[in-house]
Amino acid sequence: MTMSEEKNSGSRGKEEESEDESEILEESPCGRWQKRKEQVSQGNVPGIETASLAMDTEEGVEVVWNEVQFSDKKVFKSHEDRMREMFESLMHVDHPNIVKFHKYWLDTRESRARVIFITEYMSSGSLKQFLKKTKKNHKTMNVKAWKRWCTQILSALSYLHSCHPPIVHGNLTCDTIFIQHNGLIKIGSVWHRLFVNVFPEAIYGNVQHHRDDETNQHYFAPEYGLAEDVCSIDIFAFGICTLEMAVLEIQANGDTVVSKEAITNAAQSLEDPLIKEFTQSCVRMDAKKRPTAHDLLFHRVLFEVHSLKLLAAHCFINYQYQLHDNCLEEKTRTFDPSGVMAEIKHGDRPGVEIKYSNVSPLELDKFLEDVKNGIYPLMNFQRGLTMPRTLSIFQERMETVKTPSPEPQEMETRKVVQMHCNLEFTEEGTRSHLSLLLKMDDKLQRQLNCDVLPSKSIQRSTTLL
């Protein structure tokens, strides 16, 4: 075989392997989610033997298809109501720094019983992988990046802990924290405690294996597993994560277990006294003495008064649905580059002028995109806030469900920002046609139609534009 034939043979082999991995193995009942053969790793989640790559055919993006298999249908049935309750609560978790939970359904066809749920795919890898690459290149951690990561993680934890009832993550490690190419941090495996607390006997082997995994022992607080879950176990795990983020890796000296001595040595190696005090406050042995996620956001190593630019950006993003798409571009185009945008006057020395030419529209667009993605969250000044979730931009058509275990119906939670109503009488005069056009805050529209008969009975139809 010649060199060119070998190359062609190798390329054909790779193409065949790629085609094999992209083969569709299964579809969701509604047809929106398509499971592929390629498996992915999205953190150590007990109860999930494998997670597969899947395609969201409506959004055109890759997602993760997670499955939990039950060997005993009786065990499955006994926990079915509790599972639905827990998964429904997860459907309402919506935060820019938390991996999105898209959908779930229960499958009891034939002799098997399983739970399937779809989550966001984090293609850029875990924080652990990023730290290893950084250390390999002999680089030290940038303090600004460390602070930005801590703020994003704490923003997510504060959100979870302020839910009613509080959601305890219980599996926070650098393997379950993901970092995107733009610096956005997202924590995954939020559903971890569901598997441990709701049906541990069904997946006992997996849960036990997770708890006995020596490589992650140092993330668990001393009280972990001894009593009912409390938010302080997440703070302890967060403290270990922040320490790893600062030193890039906690040296285990060849052992599989990271000892308390190794953690102490890593903490003592920190040069910044504020960072050292910050991490040590999180890993106190007494759980009651650990600060809350909300308190940590106001620690002096992290807290800063938000700039007017950041506050304005958040305000712009929150009310963007009221503006047309190109309003920013159109507005900046009308400005005179030599015009003075702001001026600072000093009595004893010359003032400072900031012109429009000093502000790049491209940089402004990038900053707004970063704020929208959650890279620069505002500090959580108000506690106990509930954030509404748009459960599905594209409502799934339930009439296409073919399995005996259909996906649960979802309540509409999007905000209506504009409404038009039209009532028309038919030529026969026997009935009226009512049309209602709703403009939602995600820029989609919903059109509601119904025929109003003299008997006051109503036939409804809904169309999503």
Side-chain angles (χ1 to χ4, degrees):
M1 183 181 289
T2 64
M3 185 77 71
S4 61
E5 287 175 336
E6 288 180 358
K7 288 182 179 179
N8 292 334
S9 176
S11 62
R12 281 197 302 270
K14 290 180 180 179
E15 287 177 3
E16 290 175 0
E17 183 180 351
S18 177
E19 290 177 1
D20 187 46
E21 288 182 343
S22 63
E23 178 187 355
I24 298 174
L25 300 181
E26 188 178 354
E27 285 190 350
S28 64
C30 63
R32 175 175 177 177
W33 320 97
Q34 295 179 339
K35 177 185 175 183
R36 293 180 177 177
K37 193 172 184 179
E38 183 180 355
Q39 295 184 358
V40 294
S41 175
Q42 296 285 272
N44 183 15
V45 184
I48 301 179
E49 293 286 353
T50 59
S52 303
L53 202 63
M55 177 60 71
D56 179 350
T57 59
E58 290 190 4
E59 294 280 4
V61 296
E62 292 178 320
V63 291
V64 179
W65 178 296
N66 306 273
E67 290 187 23
V68 182
Q69 299 279 353
F70 285 77
S71 56
D72 190 342
K73 255 192 175 183
K74 291 182 179 178
V75 174
F76 181 88
K77 288 291 184 183
S78 64
H79 292 289
E80 188 170 346
D81 292 339
R82 179 63 172 150
M83 281 190 290
R84 288 187 186 278
E85 179 186 344
M86 293 295 292
F87 275 114
E88 285 296 329
S89 66
L90 287 174
M91 290 287 291
H92 289 81
V93 172
D94 186 26
H95 191 278
N97 301 115
I98 297 176
V99 173
K100 290 182 181 178
F101 187 100
H102 289 298
K103 195 74 174 177
Y104 84 95
W105 64 93
L106 310 181
D107 181 15
T108 55
R109 291 176 296 176
E110 301 173 354
S111 59
R112 65 182 176 183
R114 58 180 181 160
V115 181
I116 303 168
F117 58 100
I118 306 296
T119 56
E120 183 180 3
Y121 176 46
M122 306 303 293
S123 58
S124 298
S126 68
L127 187 59
K128 174 82 79 177
Q129 294 169 330
F130 182 86
L131 295 176
K132 283 185 177 181
K133 290 178 183 177
T134 305
K135 185 179 181 181
K136 189 176 180 180
N137 294 329
H138 306 288
K139 293 182 179 179
T140 57
M141 179 51 58
N142 180 280
V143 176
K144 287 185 177 180
W146 181 88
K147 291 181 179 181
R148 191 163 60 244
W149 293 351
C150 287
T151 302
Q152 293 181 65
I153 298 170
L154 285 173
S155 180
L157 287 179
S158 181
Y159 170 85
L160 291 173
H161 295 172
S162 64
C163 290
H164 303 287
I167 297 176
V168 178
H169 188 287
N171 190 28
L172 190 68
T173 70
C174 286
D175 285 313
T176 58
I177 299 174
F178 302 93
I179 180 170
Q180 296 292 71
H181 63 279
N182 58 357
L184 177 65
I185 289 287
K186 291 201 176 193
I187 63 174
S189 187
V190 176
W191 45 89
H192 162 79
R193 303 308 292 166
L194 167 66
F195 303 115
V196 176
N197 292 341
V198 177
F199 40 86
E201 66 273 19
I203 52 171
Y204 179 78
N206 295 50
V207 176
Q208 194 71 12
H209 170 73
H210 169 77
R211 186 63 182 90
D212 295 338
D213 186 359
E214 294 182 341
T215 59
N216 285 330
Q217 284 291 309
H218 59 295
Y219 291 103
F220 295 108
E223 71 276 12
Y224 185 96
L226 300 178
E228 186 177 350
D229 289 341
V230 288
C231 298
S232 58
I233 67 172
D234 284 345
I235 301 302
F236 185 94
F238 168 75
I240 299 296
C241 290
T242 59
L243 184 57
E244 279 193 289
M245 285 155 46
V247 300
L248 300 181
E249 183 183 17
I250 301 177
Q251 296 290 344
N253 297 324
D255 299 328
T256 56
V257 180
V258 177
S259 64
K260 292 181 179 179
E261 182 182 359
I263 294 173
T264 302
N265 293 337
Q268 293 301 323
S269 69
L270 296 174
E271 296 180 0
D272 191 321
L274 288 179
I275 294 179
K276 183 185 294 185
E277 193 275 328
F278 179 86
T279 57
Q280 289 179 339
S281 68
C282 298
V283 295
R284 290 171 179 154
M285 292 297 105
D286 188 348
K288 295 180 180 179
K289 293 183 178 180
R290 293 175 206 147
T292 65
H294 181 268
D295 294 337
L296 288 169
L297 282 170
F298 291 93
H299 191 281
R300 52 185 175 166
V301 76
L302 293 183
F303 180 74
E304 58 185 25
V305 178
H306 295 304
S307 66
L308 182 59
K309 178 182 177 181
L310 182 59
L311 292 171
H314 273 275
C315 185
F316 181 86
I317 295 300
N318 290 338
Y319 294 95
Q320 196 172 7
Y321 62 85
Q322 296 181 351
L323 307 170
H324 57 81
D325 294 337
N326 300 322
C327 66
L328 182 63
E329 181 183 351
E330 292 176 2
K331 191 67 176 176
T332 54
R333 193 184 301 163
T334 61
F335 292 148
D336 179 9
S338 60
V340 177
M341 181 174 63
E343 183 180 4
I344 303 175
K345 293 183 177 181
H346 300 290
D348 56 342
R349 61 186 186 277
V352 179
E353 289 186 349
I354 302 175
K355 298 183 178 181
Y356 286 108
S357 58
N358 300 130
V359 181
S360 169
L362 293 177
E363 291 180 2
L364 188 58
D365 277 337
K366 175 65 168 60
F367 180 69
L368 286 171
E369 188 66 24
D370 289 344
V371 171
K372 186 177 181 180
N373 288 335
I375 297 178
Y376 302 103
L378 294 178
M379 297 300 180
N380 192 11
F381 287 104
Q382 292 176 280
R383 310 186 69 169
L385 289 179
T386 56
M387 297 179 63
R389 170 179 169 83
T390 302
L391 293 178
S392 177
I393 293 179
F394 297 94
Q395 293 294 319
E396 303 197 14
R397 296 179 293 276
M398 299 304 294
E399 65 271 14
T400 61
V401 174
K402 301 176 182 177
T403 67
S405 301
E407 299 175 50
Q409 291 279 359
E410 298 174 344
M411 294 182 63
E412 179 63 84
T413 59
R414 288 175 293 174
K415 183 179 180 180
V416 177
V417 297
Q418 205 169 13
M419 180 171 60
H420 296 282
C421 180
N422 185 42
L423 182 65
E424 294 181 354
F425 295 96
T426 59
E427 294 180 358
E428 302 85 6
T430 57
R431 61 180 178 175
S432 304
H433 184 74
L434 179 65
S435 177
L436 192 64
L437 182 64
L438 306 178
K439 185 176 180 181
M440 321 302 279
D441 59 357
D442 56 8
K443 296 184 179 179
L444 291 180
Q445 294 180 352
R446 182 174 290 279
Q447 183 173 315
L448 307 175
N449 301 301
C450 69
D451 291 325
V452 182
L453 304 176
S455 61
K456 296 184 180 180
S457 62
I458 297 176
Q459 298 174 349
R460 296 190 183 104
S461 65
T462 303
T463 306
L464 180 63
L465 302 180

